[in-house]
């Protein structure tokens, strides 16, 4: 195992397409729910404990060796919004391209062949982590961090927020990021015995309805 591989996978410069997505932050800014760093902190905390937890658990389970096609179906079931499902698959397709270049692996090739339009991003992330020799907990950390770092970076662009303030938001969430990753890894151990039904299914209705509203906007800075 190379822990440095986790830094590569979680790096915002890894060409996985995340820079084009705001994780719901653009719609929240437009609706007035994010106006400053304090609002961003509340938004990221809520996203971390809902969508972030689900993504971390799916990634951890994929890294642990759970059938990725079954996990992809579980991700669909946990994503009511068609717009979010589309975004997750687009991100998964782009991540797949980057992961196969960085860590060639038959499991990545098989999922790419089975889901040519893209599998859900957390599932691809978990397989990429496994190919890189990382643990399920590592995959959970990467997914949890991605769930809040994307919105934080997007808000800097959307509101001209001081990037130091956005970074401080992420730093203050560090302990909770660890907790969410640990919960996801624990759920993965249950998943091995009980199947994907044992994984978290936390919901975030504002993210779901916001994604549909955002998709209908004629002018957008971010794809989601």
């Amino acid at each position: 195992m190379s822990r440095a591989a986790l830094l590569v996978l979680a790096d915002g410069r890894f060409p996985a397409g995340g820079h084009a997505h705001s994780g719901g932050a653009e719609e929240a800014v437009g609706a007035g729910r994010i106006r400053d760093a304090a609002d961003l902190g509340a938004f990221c905390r809520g996203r971390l404990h809902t969508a972030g937890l689900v993504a971390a658990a799916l990634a951890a389970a994929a890294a642990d060796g759970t059938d990725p096609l079954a996990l992809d179906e579980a991700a669909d079931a946990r994503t009511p919004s068609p717009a979010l499902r589309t975004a997750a698959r687009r991100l998964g397709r782009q991540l797949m391209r980057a992961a196969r270049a960085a860590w060639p692996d038959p499991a990545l090739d098989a999922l790419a062949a089975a889901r040519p339009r893209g599998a859900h991003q957390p599932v691809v992330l978990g397989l990429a982590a496994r190919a890189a020799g990382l643990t399920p907990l590592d995959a959970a950390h990467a997914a949890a961090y991605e769930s809040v770092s994307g919105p934080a970076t997007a808000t800097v662009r959307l509101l001209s927020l001081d990037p130091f303030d956005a970074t401080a938001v992420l730093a203050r969430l560090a302990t909770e990021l660890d907790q969410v990753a640990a919960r996801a890894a624990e759920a993965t151990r249950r998943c091995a015995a009980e199947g994907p039904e044992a994984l978290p299914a936390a919901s975030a209705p504002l993210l779901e309805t916001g994604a549909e509203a955002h998709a209908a906007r004629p002018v957008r800075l971010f794809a989601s």
Side-chain angles (χ1 to χ4, degrees):
M1 183 186 72
S2 170
R3 185 54 55 83
L6 177 59
L7 302 179
V8 176
L9 187 60
D11 193 331
R13 291 164 292 189
F14 191 70
H19 65 279
H21 295 260
S22 77
E26 183 168 25
E27 184 61 29
V29 167
R33 292 193 294 272
I34 299 179
R35 295 161 296 181
D36 53 28
D39 291 341
L40 175 62
F43 177 88
C44 286
R45 177 170 286 106
R47 195 172 196 278
L48 172 63
H49 288 280
T50 53
L53 173 61
V54 170
L58 289 165
D64 195 47
T66 300
D67 178 4
L69 294 179
L71 291 174
D72 196 54
E73 293 177 359
D76 253 357
R78 287 159 172 76
T79 313
S81 162
L84 282 184
R85 289 198 297 271
T86 297
R89 292 190 180 281
R90 285 176 178 169
L91 282 166
R93 185 169 63 246
Q94 179 64 22
L95 176 58
M96 179 67 79
R97 292 179 60 194
R100 292 172 79 187
W103 302 288
D105 186 88
L108 289 169
D109 296 339
L111 182 58
R115 293 288 188 269
R117 295 186 177 182
H120 277 262
Q121 191 264 4
V123 179
V124 180
L125 177 62
L127 277 190
R130 184 178 177 89
L134 297 171
T135 68
L137 182 59
D138 290 330
H141 269 108
Y145 179 70
E146 188 272 338
S147 76
V148 293
S149 61
T153 301
T155 303
V156 170
R157 296 171 61 185
L158 291 162
L159 288 179
S160 296
L161 187 70
D162 188 328
F164 293 106
D165 290 338
T167 300
V169 166
L170 297 178
R172 285 192 289 270
L173 285 172
T175 299
E176 290 175 66
L177 280 162
D178 288 344
Q179 293 169 349
V180 166
R183 286 182 62 193
E186 175 59 32
T188 294
R189 287 188 280 273
R190 296 197 304 273
C191 178
E194 303 171 29
E197 294 79 6
L199 297 178
S203 64
L206 274 179
L207 287 179
E208 300 283 345
T209 57
E212 294 302 308
H214 184 268
R217 288 184 179 273
V219 179
R220 298 173 292 175
L221 182 60
F222 291 95
S224 70

